[in-house]
């Protein structure tokens, strides 16, 4: 594999607002720690000051990656995944058999609020001028998709709602009178939403190779964990709905409407990292692969669609 130029976290671009191109969108899939591939792609774009999108929609880990893309904190997502998501305080499957959450999002977002991991909200607000940023979440009342629009005041709450895996974070995240969990449950790849909001040129950032349209592996893992209990029928309903939505998104990507152009950016092979429990070596390899893929895209003819008004 060719030598990769990995951007440095100290090389943080300025926060001056850029002018987006109308009817362009970036849709970012989740995937847990596999989102470090996405972090590499977006860091390579930040290093080249590439953000032409007027609509940005992220799901779960995709929403977290879009957050640091909009705050222009190069290297921030990589560091959060490698340090916070691998910490024993964040995830322990043993806790799922108690009243505690196996995935301790409270601990995670308490850490994100600390100076070392804090998001630059002022920079994000600058970048949101003439842009729309959405985090997808799933309303526990009926498991319907919802699109949350973060502001500086509610950003972390919206991000937390988009990232809360059902049953691993048991009650979901309260917003108003409703509770929300991971956006990927109801709408794994929200590309149709970008189109419905007027986008005609859409980039979809995936964490699975194009020829491995396997969806969220968490669905099968959740089934194996809970189907020994009386929760299994409900879990099966959730997974069935998820699989149907996933297949609809793949069909849209492969056969978009005549007035839309869709570019799928995905890893060339199965990533070394997993949803949770990845090694440092696997995470670093996938991050560097993302950087390489992101740089290759910027040098391709497809990128020209997003650099011309």
């Amino acid at each position: 594999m060719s030598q990769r130029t990995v951007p440095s976290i100290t090389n943080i671009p300025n926060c001056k607002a850029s002018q987006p191109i109308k009817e362009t969108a970036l849709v970012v899939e989740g995937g847990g720690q596999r989102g470090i591939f996405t972090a590499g792609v977006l860091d390579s774009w930040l290093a080249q000051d590439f953000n032409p999108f007027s609509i940005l929609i992220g799901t779960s880990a995709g929403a977290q990656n879009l957050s640091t893309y909009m705050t222009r904190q190069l290297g921030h997502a990589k560091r959060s995944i490698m340090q916070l998501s691998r910490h024993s305080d964040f995830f322990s499957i043993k806790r799922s058999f108690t009243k505690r959450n196996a995935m301790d999002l409270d601990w995670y977002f308490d850490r994100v609020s600390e100076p070392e991991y804090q998001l630059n909200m002022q920079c994000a607000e600058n970048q949101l001028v003439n842009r729309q940023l959405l985090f997808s979440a799933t309303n526990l009342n009926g498991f319907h998709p919802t699109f949350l629009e973060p502001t500086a005041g509610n950003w972390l709450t919206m991000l937390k709602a988009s990232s809360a895996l059902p049953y691993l974070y048991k009650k979901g995240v309260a917003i108003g009178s409703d509770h929300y969990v991971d956006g990927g449950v109801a709408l794994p790849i929200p590309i149709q939403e970008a189109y419905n909001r007027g986008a005609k040129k859409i980039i979809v950032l995936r964490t699975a190779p194009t020829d491995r349209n396997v969806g969220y592996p968490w669905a099968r893992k959740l089934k194996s964990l809970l189907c020994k209990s009386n929760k299994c029928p409900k879990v099966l309903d959730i997974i069935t709905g998820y699989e149907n939505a996933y297949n609809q998104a793949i069909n849209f990507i492969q056969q978009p409407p005549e007035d839309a152009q869709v570019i799928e950016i995905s890893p060339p092979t199965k990533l070394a990292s997993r949803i949770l429990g990845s090694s440092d070596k696997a995470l670093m390899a996938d991050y560097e692969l993302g950087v390489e893929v992101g740089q290759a895209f910027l040098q391709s003819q497809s990128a020209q669609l997003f650099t011309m008004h």
Side-chain angles (χ1 to χ4, degrees):
M1 188 171 289
S2 60
Q3 186 176 1
R4 301 164 182 146
T5 303
V6 182
S8 167
I9 190 171
T10 59
N11 179 25
I12 300 176
N14 65 62
C15 289
K16 183 179 179 181
S18 59
Q19 183 65 34
I21 299 174
K22 292 181 180 180
E23 299 183 346
T24 59
L26 176 63
V27 176
V28 186
E29 185 181 27
Q33 290 178 342
R34 289 174 177 164
I36 201 161
F37 168 80
T38 305
V41 173
L42 294 180
D43 274 355
S44 74
W45 291 359
L46 275 178
Q48 297 300 319
D49 200 24
F50 178 78
N51 183 359
F53 308 104
S54 58
I55 301 172
L56 302 97
I57 307 177
T59 297
S60 194
Q64 296 186 42
N65 272 304
L66 280 184
S67 291
T68 57
Y69 187 51
M70 295 303 293
T71 61
R72 296 176 66 83
Q73 289 171 277
L74 197 137
H76 185 284
K78 169 195 168 189
R79 189 158 53 98
S80 297
I81 292 170
M82 295 193 73
Q83 296 179 11
L84 296 184
S85 77
R86 293 193 70 245
H87 199 286
S88 59
D89 285 340
F90 173 60
F91 178 76
S92 172
I93 195 61
K94 294 179 181 178
R95 294 199 297 261
S96 64
F97 302 106
T98 69
K99 293 183 179 180
R100 298 175 63 197
N101 292 307
M103 177 182 287
D104 194 344
L105 284 180
D106 300 323
W107 175 87
Y108 185 94
F109 281 95
D110 283 345
R111 293 299 306 274
V112 171
S113 300
E114 295 173 0
E116 183 181 359
Y117 297 101
Q118 204 165 46
L119 293 171
N120 187 336
M121 288 292 102
Q122 181 60 56
C123 192
E125 288 181 325
N126 290 345
Q127 298 307 310
L128 284 174
V129 175
N130 298 321
R131 285 189 171 94
Q132 187 173 36
L133 174 65
L134 302 168
F135 298 156
S136 72
T138 300
N139 192 322
L140 279 176
N141 183 16
F143 287 89
H144 299 302
T146 301
F147 292 91
L148 307 172
E149 195 159 2
T151 64
N154 65 19
W155 197 291
L156 293 185
T157 301
M158 300 293 185
L159 197 55
K160 189 176 182 180
S162 182
S163 307
L165 282 174
Y167 299 108
L168 298 185
Y169 190 76
K170 295 182 178 181
K171 294 183 179 179
V173 177
I175 299 177
S177 60
D178 291 315
H179 287 75
Y180 297 88
V181 294
D182 192 300
V185 174
L187 210 56
I189 310 173
I191 186 170
Q192 296 101 319
E193 185 68 19
Y195 178 76
N196 292 340
R197 290 175 182 259
K200 305 301 183 186
K201 298 176 182 178
I202 306 170
I203 290 180
V204 184
L205 260 180
R206 303 284 312 282
T207 49
T210 299
D211 61 351
R212 288 178 58 88
N213 291 321
V214 295
Y216 276 17
W218 65 259
R220 292 189 300 276
K221 187 171 292 187
L222 191 63
K223 180 179 175 181
S224 67
L225 284 172
L226 298 177
C227 273
K228 295 179 182 179
S229 71
N230 58 7
K231 296 178 181 177
C232 188
K234 188 172 183 179
V235 171
L236 290 177
D237 288 342
I238 294 170
I239 293 174
T240 298
Y242 155 79
E243 289 174 339
N244 290 337
Y246 187 86
N247 290 332
Q248 289 173 10
I250 295 302
N251 290 337
F252 188 100
I253 292 171
Q254 295 175 345
Q255 296 181 318
E258 291 185 359
D259 62 342
Q261 295 172 297
V262 175
I263 296 173
E264 183 181 20
I265 298 177
S266 62
T269 58
K270 182 181 178 181
L271 293 174
S273 53
R274 301 179 292 180
I275 292 178
L276 291 166
S278 308
S279 67
D280 280 343
K281 181 179 179 181
L283 290 170
M284 194 62 198
D286 288 344
Y287 174 78
E288 292 179 349
L289 178 62
V291 170
E292 184 178 82
V293 169
Q295 290 173 339
F297 170 77
L298 293 181
Q299 296 168 4
S300 70
Q301 291 184 345
S302 296
Q304 295 179 12
L305 293 172
F306 295 86
T307 55
M308 295 182 297
H309 291 270

